[in-house]
């Protein structure tokens, strides 16, 4: 790749242009979905700017409250939540919002109501804010059922009913990864233009990877299949090289690396958290949707309440297949 030439390209595929191109494939479209996405993108730009100057603007540290997950809220958590709620409501295209930071679902007032339900974690990995590690926003979009009144049941749908999902990672660069149900595309924020540019078209995860990502500090509490799989990663029985362990502790960063390089990300249930720890609606389902759209797979085996937790195994198709086989074998035994 000629990076010098790329720096002066004039034919840039921005995220706005990309979404409008996709919209043109559906002549009956009124542009509501495009407007909603543009408000999500604006929220991500705002949060990216706040993350970049967090230390200078005294936005790091605790806000003095806990959220619905009983986690102490950081100042940036609170700010990010406000930004996304206001951006989504003002789009005029949403009817129900579910955020990690709010105990109850937000029902949008009738005058600003649309047909989309948005579930989101405004700032995932926020415990890493103070030490400058990559953090991110995760979101999923559903369409209201039957076009009727907005009800809580409209967001309690299976992940496969999702219309779109994505995340924005705030790290060494700001990257927005999106799937609208036909593949996965990655956009990188060009600070000089203030625009997300398509840099990773049609992302495909390798069928098998060389990396596994899990918090090994919880190993003593794992169930049999998880312990066996991690043991196989470290000491393969077929003579193949051992997998490398990489674990950031921020789901967006760990999943992003898994998506690009292959391998598997595990956050299993254990004795300490028998139902798993990650939230189904706005962490597990959107990331699983992206992984499957990129040719990988994931499995959880969970139903939904708005703040329900779940174990998750996602990544390269063959790697996740191995884990499923181990669980199937234990069930038979």
């Amino acid at each position: 790749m000629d990076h010098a030439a790329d720096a002066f390209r004039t034919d840039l595929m921005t995220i706005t242009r990309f979404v409008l191109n996709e919209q043109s494939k559906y002549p009956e479209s009124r542009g509501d979905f495009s407007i909603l996405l543009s408000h999500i993108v604006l929220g991500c730009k705002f949060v990216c700017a706040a993350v970049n100057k967090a230390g200078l603007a005294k936005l790091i540290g605790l806000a003095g409250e806990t959220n619905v997950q009983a986690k102490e809220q950081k100042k940036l958590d609170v700010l990010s939540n406000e930004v996304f709620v206001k951006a989504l409501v003002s789009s005029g295209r949403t009817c129900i919002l579910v955020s990690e930071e709010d105990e109850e679902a937000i029902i949008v007032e009738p005058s600003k109501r649309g047909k989309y339900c948005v579930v989101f974690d405004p700032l995932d990995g926020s415990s890493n804010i103070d030490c400058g590690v990559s953090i991110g926003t995760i979101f999923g979009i559903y369409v209201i059922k039957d076009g009727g009144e907005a009800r809580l049941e409209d967001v309690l749908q299976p992940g496969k009913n999702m219309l779109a999902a994505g995340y924005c990672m705030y790290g060494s660069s700001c990257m927005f990864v999106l799937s609208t149900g036909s593949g996965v595309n990655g956009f990188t924020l060009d600070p000089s233009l203030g625009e997300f540019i398509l840099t990773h078209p049609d992302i495909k995860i390798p069928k098998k990877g060389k990396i596994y990502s899990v918090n090994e500090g919880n190993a003593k509490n794992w169930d049999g299949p998880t312990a066996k799989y991690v043991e196989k990663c470290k000491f393969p029985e077929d003579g193949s090289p051992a997998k490398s362990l990489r674990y950031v502790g921020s789901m967006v960063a760990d999943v992003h690396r898994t998506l690009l390089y292959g391998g598997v990300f595990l956050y299993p249930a254990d004795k300490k958290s028998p139902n798993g720890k990650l939230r189904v609606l706005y962490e597990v389902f959107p990331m699983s949707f992206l992984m499957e759209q990129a040719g990988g797979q994931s499995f959880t085996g969970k139903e939904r309440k708005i703040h329900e937790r779940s174990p998750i195994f996602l990544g390269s198709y063959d790697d996740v297949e191995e884990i499923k086989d181990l669980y199937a074998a234990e069930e038979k035994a």
Side-chain angles (χ1 to χ4, degrees):
M1 183 181 283
D2 185 347
H3 292 287
D6 267 8
F8 297 101
R9 279 176 59 201
T10 52
D11 183 30
L12 296 172
M13 179 62 79
T14 66
I15 193 164
T16 306
R17 182 177 156 195
F18 178 87
V19 169
L20 289 174
N21 283 357
E22 289 297 303
Q23 182 188 316
S24 68
K25 296 174 185 175
Y26 304 93
E28 73 285 359
S29 171
R30 293 169 41 204
D32 288 349
F33 184 65
S34 303
I35 291 167
L36 173 59
L37 275 178
S38 72
H39 279 72
I40 292 173
V41 167
L42 179 63
C44 291
K45 288 178 185 174
F46 189 106
V47 173
C48 178
V51 167
N52 286 342
K53 62 188 179 191
L56 297 170
K58 298 190 168 24
L59 284 170
I60 59 175
L62 299 175
E65 298 172 15
T66 58
N67 66 8
V68 64
Q69 309 300 336
K71 292 195 309 191
E72 289 187 305
Q73 286 180 301
K74 302 279 186 169
K75 293 171 189 172
L76 263 177
D77 274 334
V78 178
L79 173 70
S80 303
N81 192 48
E82 283 179 16
V83 165
F84 279 104
V85 169
K86 286 176 179 171
L88 291 165
V89 171
S90 67
S91 74
R93 302 300 186 276
T94 57
C95 54
I96 304 179
L97 310 177
V98 175
S99 166
E100 186 199 27
E101 302 300 326
D102 295 315
E103 186 166 356
E104 300 293 332
I106 297 167
I107 308 291
V108 179
E109 61 185 91
S111 63
K112 294 181 179 175
R113 198 172 286 172
K115 64 179 181 181
Y116 296 107
C117 313
V118 183
V119 294
F120 62 100
D121 184 345
L123 206 60
D124 174 71
S126 55
S127 59
N128 286 317
I129 291 170
D130 297 6
C131 60
V133 169
S134 294
I135 51 183
T137 299
I138 308 170
F139 65 90
I141 302 171
Y142 292 97
V143 181
I144 191 170
K145 291 178 182 173
D146 309 321
E149 279 295 302
R151 295 166 306 155
L152 192 57
E153 291 74 39
D154 290 310
V155 289
L156 302 180
Q157 300 184 47
K160 63 181 171 57
N161 291 0
M162 227 168 231
L163 181 69
Y167 61 80
C168 188
M169 185 176 71
Y170 316 111
S172 55
S173 60
C174 178
M175 191 157 178
F176 189 92
V177 175
L178 172 70
S179 175
T180 55
S182 52
V184 181
N185 293 278
F187 304 80
T188 303
L189 183 64
D190 183 336
S192 62
L193 298 174
E195 285 280 7
F196 281 101
I197 309 297
L198 180 64
T199 51
H200 294 68
D202 196 22
I203 297 170
K204 294 293 180 200
I205 185 170
K207 201 156 187 295
K208 195 169 178 67
K210 299 174 182 175
I211 296 170
Y212 72 104
S213 182
V214 66
N215 182 356
E216 290 221 46
N218 293 329
K220 70 174 184 179
N221 296 316
W222 288 343
D223 61 17
T226 299
K228 277 180 194 166
Y229 179 74
V230 171
E231 189 70 9
K232 282 175 75 175
C233 289
K234 295 194 278 193
F235 306 100
E237 294 162 0
D238 59 3
S240 60
K243 290 186 188 293
S244 298
L245 170 64
R246 299 283 184 273
Y247 186 71
V248 177
S250 169
M251 189 186 189
V252 170
D254 282 315
V255 170
H256 184 66
R257 182 197 56 249
T258 304
L259 193 62
L260 295 184
Y261 299 163
V264 64
F265 170 79
L266 309 85
Y267 211 117
D270 57 30
K271 291 172 192 166
K272 201 169 57 174
S273 306
N275 294 319
K277 203 161 177 193
L278 298 179
R279 268 68 60 178
V280 174
L281 269 190
Y282 38 82
E283 291 177 323
V284 170
F285 278 177
M287 290 307 204
S288 297
F289 182 88
L290 286 167
M291 202 57 72
E292 289 172 5
Q293 285 292 321
Q297 66 168 323
S298 84
F299 86 105
T300 61
K302 292 291 288 184
E303 294 185 1
R304 299 149 307 284
K305 294 177 188 161
I306 70 168
H307 294 294
E308 174 118 45
R309 296 174 187 267
S310 166
I312 181 66
F313 305 86
L314 54 81
S316 295
Y317 194 93
D318 288 355
D319 292 324
V320 177
E321 199 63 33
E322 263 188 73
I323 300 171
K324 285 166 80 173
D325 288 345
L326 288 167
Y327 273 91
E330 184 173 81
E331 271 184 39
K332 274 186 193 171

